[in-house]
Amino acid sequence: MEQPNESESSTAGSPGVAGARVLVVDDDPTVAEVVCGYLDRAGYVVDRAGDGAAALARAADNWPDLVILDVMLPGTNGLEVCRRMRDHAPVPVIMLTARGDEDDRILGLEVGADDYVTKPFSPRELVLRVQSVLRRAWPGVGTRPLRAAGLAVDPAARRATKHSTELALTLREFDLLAFLLAHPGRVYSREELMREVWGWDFGDLSTVTVHIRRLRSKVEDDPARPRLIQTVWGVGYRFEPAGTEPDGADVGAGPADRDTRAVAPGPRNIPGPVAPDSEGV
């Protein structure tokens, strides 16, 4: 297994990265050691826990800026740990899972995880994911506020409201809402949203579908009949600030909403990179 070296510390000192506290939660000591080593070399302050109870205790002592959380933990599993942390305060979470099952990944997103990585993975790719998530969590000041259809988003303050009532959004839900409000009336495929909001040219497209569904549950008056975030059959999604009902009898219930693997034309999933055997964790 490849260990970190000094030449791979290129992310240290980057805006919104240096000095950030990352809590790594994994009961596999080898995985935890390698991940912690890469993060340390990249300039992060790293805490470590081997089970769910220890993770919650470490977070209570020193609240992290980001959590890397294994799903399969002894005692309190990763999904429950994520849920409890998100109930306590907003914190970006990247889930680690050894399972290839799509339902397991979706469950992680449903409880508030912002990203997931499937084992085996490249530690260097994980560091880049951490960097990307933190940069989105800590945007630069001066980003203009956005308002439409009773919704207001302040990217600099990371605050979103609906009719002046604050919305409890995860990091990615916030980014997705801000992006849609900034581009009203335009249709985006899941591939485009993944590239523009997540910053990825690869990944499981069901990630976008799950976040759209969660966002609708928070901003729509009737999530089952969405008027603001509309499904455009065979293409993707559009934010409609007027909140008018789309043409057709089945409002918002396009293929994307019934089958997470089929919205936009083309491949159902964009394959992610395969970590080389020499550096996979």
Side-chain angles (χ1 to χ4, degrees), residues 216-251:
R216 281 173 170 166
S217 73
K218 298 177 181 181
V219 305
E220 297 281 359
D221 292 332
D222 182 1
R225 298 179 63 82
R227 293 175 178 267
L228 299 177
I229 304 175
Q230 299 180 0
T231 298
V232 179
W233 281 74
V235 183
Y237 302 100
R238 174 182 63 216
F239 179 74
E240 180 52 65
T244 55
E245 186 168 321
D247 293 335
D250 199 1
V251 179

Side-chain angles (χ1 to χ4, degrees), residues 197-274:
V197 177
W198 277 258
W200 307 342
D201 288 321
F202 57 86
D204 189 331
L205 297 179
S206 64
T207 300
V208 178
T209 308
V210 170
H211 279 80
I212 287 287
R213 184 168 67 245
R214 287 176 56 87
L215 190 56
R216 281 173 170 166
S217 73
K218 298 177 181 181
V219 305
E220 297 281 359
D221 292 332
D222 182 1
R225 298 179 63 82
R227 293 175 178 267
L228 299 177
I229 304 175
Q230 299 180 0
T231 298
V232 179
W233 281 74
V235 183
Y237 302 100
R238 174 182 63 216
F239 179 74
E240 180 52 65
T244 55
E245 186 168 321
D247 293 335
D250 199 1
V251 179
D257 303 295
R258 288 198 294 263
D259 184 348
T260 60
R261 295 166 297 178
V263 161
R268 290 185 172 184
N269 290 306
I270 306 173
V274 177

Side-chain angles (χ1 to χ4, degrees), residues 4-256:
N5 56 63
E6 296 293 342
S7 66
E8 289 168 348
S9 303
S10 59
T11 55
S14 300
V17 170
R21 182 178 295 276
V22 179
L23 175 59
V24 177
V25 188
D26 198 306
D27 62 324
D28 186 327
T30 301
V31 172
E33 181 180 352
V34 172
V35 170
C36 289
Y38 270 81
L39 291 169
D40 180 70
R41 299 291 187 182
Y44 298 96
V45 176
V46 185
D47 289 331
R48 177 174 164 181
D51 57 52
L56 294 170
R58 293 302 296 268
D61 290 340
N62 290 287
W63 192 254
D65 297 302
L66 182 142
V67 181
I68 297 174
L69 182 59
D70 188 24
V71 173
M72 300 300 293
L73 293 172
T76 307
N77 66 36
L79 296 174
E80 181 61 24
V81 172
C82 180
R83 184 180 294 108
R84 292 187 190 181
M85 286 187 173
R86 295 290 311 174
D87 287 344
H88 178 73
V91 60
V93 176
I94 297 177
M95 303 291 291
L96 302 180
T97 175
R99 300 178 182 176
D101 182 57
E102 182 180 354
D103 291 340
D104 188 57
R105 298 194 299 268
I106 290 175
L107 275 175
L109 298 172
E110 290 282 9
V111 299
D114 300 284
D115 195 0
Y116 66 86
V117 175
T118 303
K119 297 178 181 179
F121 57 87
S122 163
R124 285 179 288 185
E125 180 192 342
L126 179 59
V127 170
L128 292 176
R129 296 277 187 114
V130 169
Q131 180 180 341
S132 174
V133 170
L134 283 174
R135 282 179 169 171
R136 290 179 180 275
W138 298 344
V141 297
T143 308
R144 66 183 179 90
L146 303 163
R147 292 181 177 84
L151 300 171
V153 171
D154 185 344
R158 301 296 293 184
R159 185 171 184 264
T161 61
K162 177 183 178 182
H163 301 310
S164 300
T165 299
E166 190 154 1
L167 297 171
L169 303 178
T170 67
L171 170 67
R172 295 297 188 186
E173 290 167 359
F174 184 95
D175 292 339
L176 182 57
L177 180 60
F179 182 81
L180 292 173
L181 260 66
H183 302 88
R186 177 173 172 179
V187 181
Y188 287 92
S189 68
R190 291 191 300 176
E191 290 92 342
E192 289 173 319
L193 289 173
M194 179 161 283
R195 182 168 58 250
E196 297 294 338
V197 177
W198 277 258
W200 307 342
D201 288 321
F202 57 86
D204 189 331
L205 297 179
S206 64
T207 300
V208 178
T209 308
V210 170
H211 279 80
I212 287 287
R213 184 168 67 245
R214 287 176 56 87
L215 190 56
R216 281 173 170 166
S217 73
K218 298 177 181 181
V219 305
E220 297 281 359
D221 292 332
D222 182 1
R225 298 179 63 82
R227 293 175 178 267
L228 299 177
I229 304 175
Q230 299 180 0
T231 298
V232 179
W233 281 74
V235 183
Y237 302 100
R238 174 182 63 216
F239 179 74
E240 180 52 65
T244 55
E245 186 168 321
D247 293 335
D250 199 1
V251 179

